[in-house]
mmCIF file of all heavy atoms in Angstrom:
data_model
loop_
_atom_site.group_PDB
_atom_site.id
_atom_site.type_symbol
_atom_site.label_atom_id
_atom_site.label_comp_id
_atom_site.label_asym_id
_atom_site.label_seq_id
_atom_site.Cartn_x
_atom_site.Cartn_y
_atom_site.Cartn_z
ATOM 1 N N GLN A 400 6.912 -5.218 -12.088
ATOM 2 C CA GLN A 400 6.507 -4.188 -11.130
ATOM 3 C C GLN A 400 5.410 -3.334 -11.722
ATOM 4 O O GLN A 400 4.434 -2.968 -11.010
ATOM 5 C CB GLN A 400 7.707 -3.362 -10.653
ATOM 6 C CG GLN A 400 8.469 -2.615 -11.765
ATOM 7 C CD GLN A 400 8.881 -1.214 -11.346
ATOM 8 O OE1 GLN A 400 8.062 -0.490 -10.838
ATOM 9 N NE2 GLN A 400 10.141 -0.876 -11.559
ATOM 10 N N SER A 401 5.508 -3.040 -12.991
ATOM 11 C CA SER A 401 4.433 -2.256 -13.671
ATOM 12 C C SER A 401 3.128 -3.021 -13.702
ATOM 13 O O SER A 401 2.057 -2.455 -13.457
ATOM 14 C CB SER A 401 4.828 -1.920 -15.118
ATOM 15 O OG SER A 401 6.035 -1.216 -15.101
ATOM 16 N N LEU A 402 3.241 -4.311 -13.978
ATOM 17 C CA LEU A 402 2.035 -5.173 -14.038
ATOM 18 C C LEU A 402 1.290 -5.134 -12.691
ATOM 19 O O LEU A 402 0.060 -4.904 -12.634
ATOM 20 C CB LEU A 402 2.474 -6.602 -14.398
ATOM 21 C CG LEU A 402 1.437 -7.706 -14.243
ATOM 22 C CD1 LEU A 402 0.320 -7.533 -15.256
ATOM 23 C CD2 LEU A 402 2.108 -9.091 -14.442
ATOM 24 N N PHE A 403 2.015 -5.378 -11.603
ATOM 25 C CA PHE A 403 1.363 -5.373 -10.297
ATOM 26 C C PHE A 403 0.804 -4.004 -9.928
ATOM 27 O O PHE A 403 -0.251 -3.891 -9.307
ATOM 28 C CB PHE A 403 2.323 -5.887 -9.231
ATOM 29 C CG PHE A 403 2.474 -7.367 -9.180
ATOM 30 C CD1 PHE A 403 3.676 -7.975 -9.462
ATOM 31 C CD2 PHE A 403 1.421 -8.168 -8.850
ATOM 32 C CE1 PHE A 403 3.816 -9.371 -9.422
ATOM 33 C CE2 PHE A 403 1.485 -9.568 -8.789
ATOM 34 C CZ PHE A 403 2.725 -10.159 -9.089
ATOM 35 N N PHE A 404 1.527 -2.954 -10.299
ATOM 36 C CA PHE A 404 1.032 -1.615 -9.991
ATOM 37 C C PHE A 404 -0.269 -1.342 -10.726
ATOM 38 O O PHE A 404 -1.250 -0.864 -10.141
ATOM 39 C CB PHE A 404 2.100 -0.554 -10.369
ATOM 40 C CG PHE A 404 1.615 0.843 -10.113
ATOM 41 C CD1 PHE A 404 1.692 1.382 -8.796
ATOM 42 C CD2 PHE A 404 1.082 1.627 -11.109
ATOM 43 C CE1 PHE A 404 1.233 2.666 -8.549
ATOM 44 C CE2 PHE A 404 0.627 2.915 -10.863
ATOM 45 C CZ PHE A 404 0.682 3.430 -9.563
ATOM 46 N N ARG A 405 -0.315 -1.708 -11.987
ATOM 47 C CA ARG A 405 -1.539 -1.474 -12.775
ATOM 48 C C ARG A 405 -2.698 -2.286 -12.200
ATOM 49 O O ARG A 405 -3.849 -1.783 -12.150
ATOM 50 C CB ARG A 405 -1.308 -1.872 -14.256
ATOM 51 C CG ARG A 405 -0.461 -0.877 -15.043
ATOM 52 C CD ARG A 405 -0.611 -1.125 -16.554
ATOM 53 N NE ARG A 405 -0.381 -2.491 -16.938
ATOM 54 C CZ ARG A 405 0.795 -3.022 -17.247
ATOM 55 N NH1 ARG A 405 1.879 -2.296 -17.190
ATOM 56 N NH2 ARG A 405 0.868 -4.285 -17.588
ATOM 57 N N LEU A 406 -2.440 -3.479 -11.779
ATOM 58 C CA LEU A 406 -3.501 -4.286 -11.164
ATOM 59 C C LEU A 406 -3.995 -3.647 -9.864
ATOM 60 O O LEU A 406 -5.175 -3.703 -9.537
ATOM 61 C CB LEU A 406 -3.027 -5.721 -10.933
ATOM 62 C CG LEU A 406 -2.955 -6.607 -12.182
ATOM 63 C CD1 LEU A 406 -2.208 -7.907 -11.897
ATOM 64 C CD2 LEU A 406 -4.360 -6.935 -12.735
ATOM 65 N N ALA A 407 -3.051 -3.062 -9.114
ATOM 66 C CA ALA A 407 -3.438 -2.380 -7.850
ATOM 67 C C ALA A 407 -4.379 -1.210 -8.181
ATOM 68 O O ALA A 407 -5.352 -0.944 -7.440
ATOM 69 C CB ALA A 407 -2.227 -1.912 -7.104
ATOM 70 N N VAL A 408 -4.106 -0.500 -9.261
ATOM 71 C CA VAL A 408 -4.954 0.620 -9.657
ATOM 72 C C VAL A 408 -6.339 0.092 -10.050
ATOM 73 O O VAL A 408 -7.372 0.638 -9.643
ATOM 74 C CB VAL A 408 -4.308 1.465 -10.776
ATOM 75 C CG1 VAL A 408 -5.273 2.501 -11.324
ATOM 76 C CG2 VAL A 408 -3.016 2.102 -10.329
ATOM 77 N N THR A 409 -6.371 -0.983 -10.791
ATOM 78 C CA THR A 409 -7.637 -1.618 -11.163
ATOM 79 C C THR A 409 -8.416 -2.027 -9.902
ATOM 80 O O THR A 409 -9.618 -1.811 -9.799
ATOM 81 C CB THR A 409 -7.403 -2.873 -12.059
ATOM 82 O OG1 THR A 409 -6.642 -2.461 -13.189
ATOM 83 C CG2 THR A 409 -8.705 -3.491 -12.514
ATOM 84 N N ALA A 410 -7.679 -2.598 -8.937
ATOM 85 C CA ALA A 410 -8.306 -3.068 -7.693
ATOM 86 C C ALA A 410 -8.857 -1.896 -6.879
ATOM 87 O O ALA A 410 -9.710 -2.115 -6.017
ATOM 88 C CB ALA A 410 -7.290 -3.872 -6.871
ATOM 89 N N SER A 411 -8.362 -0.695 -7.149
ATOM 90 C CA SER A 411 -8.828 0.502 -6.420
ATOM 91 C C SER A 411 -9.792 1.304 -7.270
ATOM 92 O O SER A 411 -9.871 2.521 -7.122
ATOM 93 C CB SER A 411 -7.647 1.391 -6.036
ATOM 94 O OG SER A 411 -6.736 0.677 -5.307
ATOM 95 N N ALA A 412 -10.445 0.633 -8.193
ATOM 96 C CA ALA A 412 -11.430 1.300 -9.090
ATOM 97 C C ALA A 412 -10.811 2.473 -9.822
ATOM 98 O O ALA A 412 -11.447 3.514 -10.041
ATOM 99 C CB ALA A 412 -12.664 1.733 -8.299
ATOM 100 N N GLY A 413 -9.554 2.334 -10.202
ATOM 101 C CA GLY A 413 -8.898 3.336 -11.025
ATOM 102 C C GLY A 413 -8.349 4.536 -10.271
ATOM 103 O O GLY A 413 -7.862 5.492 -10.872
ATOM 104 N N ASP A 414 -8.435 4.511 -8.938
ATOM 105 C CA ASP A 414 -7.943 5.646 -8.145
ATOM 106 C C ASP A 414 -6.437 5.589 -7.992
ATOM 107 O O ASP A 414 -5.884 5.189 -6.968
ATOM 108 C CB ASP A 414 -8.638 5.645 -6.764
ATOM 109 C CG ASP A 414 -8.363 6.920 -5.989
ATOM 110 O OD1 ASP A 414 -7.502 7.726 -6.403
ATOM 111 O OD2 ASP A 414 -9.029 7.112 -4.941
ATOM 112 N N GLU A 415 -5.723 6.051 -9.049
ATOM 113 C CA GLU A 415 -4.285 5.934 -9.030
ATOM 114 C C GLU A 415 -3.618 6.784 -7.941
ATOM 115 O O GLU A 415 -2.578 6.406 -7.385
ATOM 116 C CB GLU A 415 -3.747 6.335 -10.427
ATOM 117 C CG GLU A 415 -2.260 6.110 -10.529
ATOM 118 C CD GLU A 415 -1.713 6.230 -11.930
ATOM 119 O OE1 GLU A 415 -2.454 5.994 -12.899
ATOM 120 O OE2 GLU A 415 -0.520 6.563 -12.059
ATOM 121 N N ALA A 416 -4.221 7.944 -7.657
ATOM 122 C CA ALA A 416 -3.635 8.818 -6.609
ATOM 123 C C ALA A 416 -3.594 8.083 -5.251
ATOM 124 O O ALA A 416 -2.615 8.112 -4.522
ATOM 125 C CB ALA A 416 -4.401 10.117 -6.517
ATOM 126 N N ALA A 417 -4.705 7.376 -4.942
ATOM 127 C CA ALA A 417 -4.780 6.650 -3.659
ATOM 128 C C ALA A 417 -3.751 5.526 -3.651
ATOM 129 O O ALA A 417 -3.087 5.259 -2.649
ATOM 130 C CB ALA A 417 -6.188 6.105 -3.459
ATOM 131 N N VAL A 418 -3.602 4.851 -4.793
ATOM 132 C CA VAL A 418 -2.665 3.743 -4.882
ATOM 133 C C VAL A 418 -1.232 4.261 -4.722
ATOM 134 O O VAL A 418 -0.424 3.705 -4.003
ATOM 135 C CB VAL A 418 -2.805 2.979 -6.211
ATOM 136 C CG1 VAL A 418 -1.696 1.998 -6.431
ATOM 137 C CG2 VAL A 418 -4.166 2.271 -6.227
ATOM 138 N N ARG A 419 -0.931 5.411 -5.337
ATOM 139 C CA ARG A 419 0.415 5.980 -5.223
ATOM 140 C C ARG A 419 0.702 6.393 -3.781
ATOM 141 O O ARG A 419 1.829 6.231 -3.264
ATOM 142 C CB ARG A 419 0.591 7.180 -6.150
ATOM 143 C CG ARG A 419 0.780 6.715 -7.601
ATOM 144 C CD ARG A 419 1.233 7.873 -8.503
ATOM 145 N NE ARG A 419 1.313 7.386 -9.878
ATOM 146 C CZ ARG A 419 2.389 6.817 -10.426
ATOM 147 N NH1 ARG A 419 3.480 6.617 -9.714
ATOM 148 N NH2 ARG A 419 2.358 6.386 -11.663
ATOM 149 N N ALA A 420 -0.312 6.957 -3.102
ATOM 150 C CA ALA A 420 -0.117 7.375 -1.710
ATOM 151 C C ALA A 420 0.195 6.149 -0.843
ATOM 152 O O ALA A 420 1.091 6.175 -0.005
ATOM 153 C CB ALA A 420 -1.380 8.090 -1.215
#
Side-chain angles (χ1 to χ4, degrees):
Q400 58 140 311
S401 301
L402 168 66
F403 279 116
F404 179 81
R405 286 196 309 272
L406 284 169
V408 173
T409 304
S411 304
D414 189 349
E415 186 169 332
V418 171
R419 284 191 184 273

